[in-house]
Amino acid sequence: MRDSGPSNKPRRDRGLVVIAVFKLVKVVLLIFIALGAFHFTSPGAMQSAERWVGTVSSSVGRRELESLLGRADRLGKNRILIGGIAALAYALLFAVEGIGLWMQKR
């Protein structure tokens, strides 16, 4: 018969698990942002985005979306590319932190 006492296996701290999951969710979001930035630098992406805004948005939110697209277009492809690379770098950092917390490493 086995001993029903406390096991030697350390318990996971629920707070650390919550933080780890939050960091891993941020990793996924940052990867989507980076992919969007890389896609936005491709030829014809601006026209595609303008068509999407025209079909999806209502007349109320259309001006705001067109203004946002105009600002993104004025940034230039190099700055958008740098933003995508920065998003990937942060995603890597958050992935290391999240996995470390999940595995309870110091």
Side-chain angles (χ1 to χ4, degrees), residues 28-50:
V28 171
L29 292 175
L30 283 168
I31 289 173
F32 279 127
I33 289 170
L35 291 175
F38 296 149
H39 175 72
F40 199 71
T41 60
S42 67
M46 187 60 161
Q47 291 81 14
S48 175
E50 287 172 350

Side-chain angles (χ1 to χ4, degrees), residues 73-85:
D73 193 34
R74 285 190 298 274
L75 278 176
K77 291 185 179 191
N78 286 338
R79 284 187 177 177
I80 293 173
L81 184 64
I82 290 170
I85 292 170

Side-chain angles (χ1 to χ4, degrees), residues 32-96:
F32 279 127
I33 289 170
L35 291 175
F38 296 149
H39 175 72
F40 199 71
T41 60
S42 67
M46 187 60 161
Q47 291 81 14
S48 175
E50 287 172 350
R51 278 194 310 269
W52 179 81
V53 167
T55 55
V56 172
S57 68
S58 65
S59 61
V60 176
R62 187 177 192 150
R63 272 190 310 212
E64 289 81 10
L65 285 173
E66 286 175 347
S67 172
L68 183 64
L69 282 177
R71 285 186 216 159
D73 193 34
R74 285 190 298 274
L75 278 176
K77 291 185 179 191
N78 286 338
R79 284 187 177 177
I80 293 173
L81 184 64
I82 290 170
I85 292 170
L88 280 181
Y90 274 112
L92 178 64
L93 175 69
F94 288 140
V96 169

